[in-house]
Amino acid sequence: MSTLAQEFSKGILKENPTFRLILGMCPTLAVTASAINGFGMGISALVVLLCSNILVAALRNVIPDKVRIPAYILIIATFTTIVDMVLNAFAPDLHKALGIFIPLIVVNCIILGRAEAFARKNNVVRSIIDALGMGLGFTLSLTILGIIRELFGSGSIFGVNVMGTAFEPMGILATAPGAFITLGVMLGFVNYMFRRLRIE
Amino acid sequence: MNLLAIVFVAILANNIVLNQFLGICPYLGVSKRIETSLGMGMAVIFVMTISSIVTWIIDILLLQPFDLVYLRTIAFILVIAGLVQLVETVLKKTNPTLFRALGIYLPLITTNCTILGVALLNVQAGNNIIETIVYAISVAVGFTLALVIMAGIRERLELATLSSYLRGAAVSLVTAGILSLAFMGFKGMMTL
């Protein structure tokens, strides 16, 4: 049995959902045109993941094995709807920017994946730690991608102009092709770093 | 919006994968060979059309009259999951040839976010039933098109000498980026 610290750090580094497991690609590509949107999406997914992991772990002896997938989807959909409503009420700008990708948290493979692979076999505390690690790993990856694309695509970070007026933004990075290319190059870079530092 | 515009925009100008980032997982997962990508494409066309019609009817007849619009996400995902199962069972009994052809792709579709995405986009845009059907089919055709092109490129990419760090998902994403760049050209043809 691995310790809680290992459980927490694996989501951020060794099993980072975006860069190592290549899960949840749709929101990763779609909302990272700016750092704040990437961060917002990451936190939204983190909240849903945390709540669903807690509930799945708490009910792991109650939910019959045969109907567990529909049950998990129902749990995840409920929390997604709550997050959708909360964002709509308290952060309408972010809600508008993330658009269709908030309801689509339901079909984010990371969340169902953690319920199926982790929460249904572990107790509540370990599931919370797992959700926090995975969620933070996802948030971190999205924020990093957002920072890179925003910095070079529009010359700012979190909406603050840092490149000065002489900088000519590479508009392509803020558009759809830029998303694919930035993520592809980042994946290659992360693979290189992992092999170099022998993290396995 | 007239129907032809819907078709053009959904297939080319605003391609669901390359421009709207929906369905990236199957796009990267089942684009290794042309035959499998065609099979997946057909399954998506089939399920997306049916699920869009069913979710549209549920939205108009159940959710809107009873003021339950906030339950959309939950209702739709349950309907889609059930529907995929139903389609699988019905096909197995009535059309074994088609079932064998779509076979393993059907269960994979439940986790394909294009299906839920298109169902939501349709009701959010307030499309009528004809527009809903046309839009669903066009989006699915656009998905198939992107998938098959990608599979064709990846079949050749297998033979290329590549840095081992870039093999797999990394190079696929960069390829998708270049494809997306090409599809951007269609945007200039029509003001959305």
Side-chain angles (χ1 to χ4, degrees):
Chain A
M1 268 264 178
S2 47
T3 66
L4 289 180
Q6 280 171 327
E7 219 60 89
F8 179 71
S9 68
K10 76 166 192 287
I12 296 174
L13 215 59
K14 273 188 203 160
E15 293 177 28
N16 185 299
T18 311
F19 293 128
R20 301 302 291 172
L21 305 181
I22 330 240
L23 289 176
M25 284 291 111
C26 301
T28 308
L29 289 162
V31 302
T32 52
S34 70
I36 188 72
N37 287 354
F39 183 72
M41 182 73 219
I43 294 294
S44 310
L46 168 68
V47 172
V48 175
L49 177 58
L50 185 61
C51 298
S52 82
N53 251 14
I54 292 174
L55 206 57
V56 168
L59 296 176
R60 69 187 186 282
N61 297 326
V62 182
I63 299 174
D65 239 20
K66 274 188 183 146
V67 294
R68 63 173 194 279
I69 301 287
Y72 298 162
I73 291 181
L74 197 62
I75 291 171
I76 296 167
T78 310
F79 289 119
T80 306
T81 307
I82 295 172
V83 166
D84 192 5
M85 287 168 159
V86 169
L87 278 183
N88 199 3
F90 295 105
D93 289 340
L94 187 66
H95 185 264
K96 217 169 156 220
L98 299 181
I100 185 92
F101 289 94
I102 300 174
L104 286 183
I105 294 177
V106 182
V107 279
N108 190 322
C109 357
I110 300 171
I111 298 170
L112 189 60
R114 288 333 283 175
E116 172 75 15
F118 195 91
R120 80 184 172 100
K121 298 172 197 148
N122 288 281
N123 63 31
V124 177
V125 177
R126 292 176 72 84
S127 297
I128 291 175
I129 301 294
D130 176 72
L132 284 177
M134 283 286 163
L136 281 178
F138 185 61
T139 311
L140 205 65
S141 322
L142 255 63
T143 314
I144 293 173
L145 274 171
I147 288 175
I148 295 174
R149 286 182 63 197
E150 196 183 343
L151 181 64
F152 294 108
S154 45
S156 55
I157 292 178
F158 286 105
V160 183
N161 193 316
V162 288
M163 291 295 242
T165 43
F167 174 71
E168 194 66 52
M170 300 179 237
I172 187 77
L173 281 186
T175 59
F180 284 109
I181 294 171
T182 316
L183 184 59
V185 173
M186 274 296 282
L187 271 181
F189 177 71
V190 170
N191 282 345
Y192 175 77
M193 288 309 282
F194 267 68
R195 213 140 344 139
R196 252 314 173 61
L197 302 171
R198 297 213 174 77
I199 308 171
E200 217 55 69
Chain B
M1 218 202 296
N2 73 48
L3 296 178
L4 211 61
I6 295 184
V7 173
F8 176 80
V9 168
I11 298 180
L12 296 173
N14 214 353
N15 188 286
I16 191 89
V17 183
L18 298 171
N19 249 313
Q20 299 198 51
F21 311 108
L22 290 175
I24 304 288
C25 301
Y27 187 63
L28 294 176
V30 272
S31 62
K32 288 204 178 80
R33 301 194 49 211
I34 292 186
E35 283 128 68
T36 50
S37 65
L38 265 177
M40 181 71 182
M42 293 304 139
V44 167
I45 294 177
F46 196 75
V47 174
M48 191 179 285
T49 314
I50 298 176
S51 74
S52 290
I53 296 171
V54 174
T55 49
W56 187 87
I57 292 171
I58 286 177
D59 198 68
I60 295 292
L61 292 185
L62 269 177
L63 299 185
Q64 286 182 11
F66 293 102
D67 227 1
L68 294 170
V69 175
Y70 63 91
L71 284 179
R72 234 177 222 168
T73 317
I74 301 179
F76 281 16
I77 189 70
L78 280 183
V79 168
I80 290 168
L83 199 70
V84 173
Q85 206 73 58
L86 188 73
V87 166
E88 210 181 334
T89 321
V90 171
L91 268 190
K92 207 175 189 174
K93 287 277 175 223
T94 58
N95 196 339
T97 341
L98 186 63
F99 176 75
R100 268 199 300 278
L102 302 183
I104 51 161
Y105 305 109
L106 279 173
L108 284 178
I109 286 182
T110 322
T111 53
N112 184 336
C113 51
T114 39
I115 308 285
L116 179 62
V118 167
L120 287 169
L121 286 173
N122 260 323
V123 294
Q124 279 174 6
N127 288 346
N128 63 33
I129 186 73
I130 307 283
E131 285 168 339
T132 300
I133 296 172
V134 171
Y135 183 67
I137 296 176
S138 314
V139 165
V141 169
F143 176 79
T144 312
L145 179 71
L147 198 65
V148 172
I149 295 178
M150 187 66 174
I153 297 176
R154 281 184 77 173
E155 276 186 0
R156 290 175 178 236
L157 214 56
E158 285 289 305
L159 306 169
T161 7
L162 252 175
S163 154
S164 64
Y165 304 115
L166 289 176
R167 277 210 175 276
V171 77
S172 305
L173 279 165
V174 175
T175 316
I178 298 167
L179 264 181
S180 161
L181 206 56
F183 271 70
M184 253 178 102
F186 291 112
K187 273 200 168 162
M189 281 175 69
M190 189 174 274
T191 38
L192 302 180

